[in-house]
Amino acid sequence: MRLLHTADWHLGRTLEGRSRLLEQAQFLDELVEIVEREQIDAILMAGDAFDTVNPPAAAEQLFYEGISRLSNGGKRPIVVIAGNHDNPERLSAANPLAFTQGITLLGLPTLDVQSIHIPSTQEILKVAALPYPSESRLKEVLSEENDELALRNSYDQRIAGMFAKMSEQFSSDAVNMAMSHIHVAGGSASDSERPIEVGGAYTVAATSLPKEAQYVALGHLHRPQDVKRALTPSRYSGSPLAYSFSESGYTKSVTIIDAQPNQPVQLSEVYLSSGKPLVRWKAKNGLAEVHQWIDEGKDSQAFIDLEIHLTDMLSLEEIYRLRKLHEGFIHIRPVFEQTEETEERSSQKDLPIPELFRRFYERQTGGAQPGDELTKLFLSLVEDEETEEVEA
């Protein structure tokens, strides 16, 4: 059977107040074309269908119309799990109606493996689907200790244990998949993912992903990427649109999995063309260079983060004229000569101690970020050491 893995639609998300619904609708149109052209038998959607727990009605309408078209009256089953942005109860409330159309909507974590009959191949697909598993959604306290490392270890063990329990329900005559919306340590993040971990506590080791699954479909990170050190093929499909300028240059895609029982899967990417690109302009030669680019039609359909080097302040009229000449300007940030000199001197100095600690911690933990309390504790120890040296 051929499966398609997608995630992180974030329907209803805006960019500095600008609606992206039209682009998101274009993505869903493109996705319908892809599943028909590629003869996809079933779809795995790994969370964050919406951008907030209370999405606008237009975003909900777009979601339900989109998955209805994709399912094709139940001929192409879809499994959707809640991400950290989704309201789990709200998402699963429509499941009784959606299920009649071959659509499974899972809100809260469960140990039940979904067993799905695939009409086009007459095969069984088993999905160990784990919606975003926070402590509150798991309805349990994972660690009584006020210690980040202890919480991270407890969380990792809990998720690994849940996957192990679900893997017991796999069968040799079915295609066995796993899916979740989690942060696997070491994954490459961008600014557009609001963290699901508390100081790095809600992270899972790559080796905790279920090796019994033929493939693990992941959601949360917006850059398409394979998970290193996983014991079975595991991947983030990424978001379909760029949602922050830190994603400038990302190539967006969906992942196709060719699978059959008891055989290694074959993976391929289908690149997406819908949605406006997010680009950065750095005009070192001032306003004249920006006007030249506009006249040339550079990035005419893009959203733009503009850094413009100047000697004098831009007037309101000049800013208004720029925005009128190109509707895609999101940020216009002037950089003055004095500022550049200050930044150059600053970059030559040693980094602040908190930043040095953050980078060290990130390297040691495989991508996690230290929490505020841990950083404060570290700084207090440094201050105590400096005080002892002075007193000595």
Side-chain angles (χ1 to χ4, degrees):
M1 67 180 71
R2 302 202 89 193
L3 308 175
L4 184 140
H5 167 204
T6 179
D8 296 283
W9 294 356
H10 288 276
L11 301 180
R13 186 158 188 164
T14 61
L15 180 65
E16 299 294 333
R18 302 196 187 197
S19 174
R20 310 291 299 278
L21 273 175
L22 179 59
E23 296 170 79
Q24 291 166 341
Q26 291 169 348
F27 155 67
L28 287 171
D29 288 342
E30 184 176 9
L31 191 58
V32 170
E33 292 176 5
I34 290 171
V35 298
E36 292 176 352
R37 182 181 71 239
E38 298 292 334
Q39 298 181 320
I40 299 300
D41 300 304
I43 298 171
L44 303 177
M45 198 287 176
D48 279 352
F50 301 106
D51 192 54
T52 67
V53 294
N54 187 27
E60 287 192 298
Q61 181 177 351
L62 184 59
F63 172 72
Y64 288 110
E65 287 179 350
I67 59 174
S68 176
R69 292 169 62 199
L70 289 166
S71 71
N72 192 22
K75 296 176 183 177
R76 187 183 299 112
I78 303 175
V79 182
V80 181
I81 59 172
N84 58 303
H85 288 258
D86 299 314
N87 183 321
E89 291 87 358
R90 188 166 180 167
L91 181 71
S92 58
N95 197 50
L97 284 176
F99 194 73
T100 63
Q101 299 294 312
I103 301 166
T104 303
L105 303 175
L106 301 174
L108 290 170
T110 174
L111 292 176
D112 295 330
V113 168
Q114 308 304 309
S115 186
I116 299 164
H117 176 258
I118 306 299
S120 55
T121 66
Q122 297 300 310
E123 293 176 298
I124 298 297
L125 169 66
K126 293 206 169 186
V127 185
L130 182 61
Y132 170 55
S134 65
E135 279 187 302
S136 62
R137 297 189 189 186
L138 289 169
K139 294 182 171 57
E140 59 185 282
V141 176
L142 295 173
S143 176
E144 298 289 349
E145 302 177 50
N146 187 21
D147 178 79
E148 185 180 309
L149 181 59
L151 177 56
R152 188 172 74 242
N153 289 338
S154 296
Y155 184 77
D156 179 57
Q157 291 170 12
R158 183 70 176 96
I159 301 307
M162 294 181 75
F163 275 133
K165 278 286 184 186
M166 288 191 283
S167 296
E168 293 174 2
Q169 302 170 53
F170 286 157
S171 58
S172 59
D173 59 348
V175 169
N176 300 307
M177 298 281 150
M179 175 167 62
S180 191
H181 194 92
I182 51 177
H183 187 180
V184 179
S188 178
S190 71
D191 292 344
S192 61
E193 302 116 8
R194 276 159 266 176
I196 59 177
E197 67 278 3
V198 180
Y202 284 170
T203 56
V204 176
T207 50
S208 296
L209 299 176
K211 65 178 183 298
E212 297 84 1
Q214 292 170 262
Y215 175 79
V216 182
L218 296 170
H220 178 58
L221 298 184
H222 290 184
R223 181 195 292 269
Q225 58 194 284
D226 296 324
V227 176
K228 298 177 181 177
R229 297 186 295 277
L231 303 178
T232 195
S234 307
R235 182 171 170 81
Y236 286 97
S237 66
S239 62
L241 304 180
Y243 286 119
S244 79
F245 284 98
S246 65
E247 297 177 61
S248 177
Y250 283 20
T251 300
K252 298 298 186 176
S253 65
V254 292
T255 304
I256 292 179
I257 310 105
D258 286 292
Q260 53 184 311
N262 282 320
Q263 296 296 323
V265 297
Q266 301 296 320
L267 304 181
S268 57
E269 275 186 279
V270 175
Y271 298 106
L272 300 171
S273 60
S274 50
K276 292 186 176 183
L278 273 59
V279 300
R280 286 180 165 136
W281 283 7
K282 192 169 185 178
K284 291 190 173 183
N285 297 318
L287 192 58
E289 188 169 30
V290 178
H291 284 294
Q292 178 185 337
W293 289 339
I294 293 173
D295 291 341
E296 292 171 352
K298 180 179 179 180
D299 297 320
S300 60
Q301 300 301 315
F303 288 121
I304 298 170
D305 174 73
L306 171 62
E307 177 184 296
I308 179 170
H309 292 230
L310 300 165
T311 54
D312 299 310
M313 182 70 73
L314 277 176
S315 69
L316 289 177
E317 282 187 20
E318 288 171 322
I319 294 174
Y320 174 76
R321 183 163 181 258
L322 282 178
R323 294 195 180 279
K324 192 173 181 180
L325 289 171
H326 197 308
E327 295 180 352
F329 285 121
I330 301 296
H331 306 125
I332 298 176
R333 293 179 291 105
V335 175
F336 300 101
E337 187 175 346
Q338 184 178 358
T339 305
E340 291 181 81
E341 293 173 358
T342 303
E343 289 177 351
E344 185 176 349
R345 288 196 300 271
S346 176
S347 66
Q348 293 172 352
K349 296 179 181 179
D350 292 337
L351 289 170
I353 291 176
E355 176 62 16
L356 289 170
F357 175 65
R358 186 193 70 76
R359 295 187 180 192
F360 170 78
Y361 187 89
E362 187 176 15
R363 288 196 302 270
Q364 294 300 309
T365 60
Q369 296 293 318
D372 291 339
E373 291 300 320
L374 185 61
T375 302
K376 288 177 183 177
L377 176 61
F378 175 78
L379 292 176
S380 69
L381 293 173
V382 172
E383 290 172 2
D384 290 344
E385 182 71 23
E386 291 175 346
T387 302
E388 290 176 3
E389 289 179 0
V390 171
E391 290 175 348

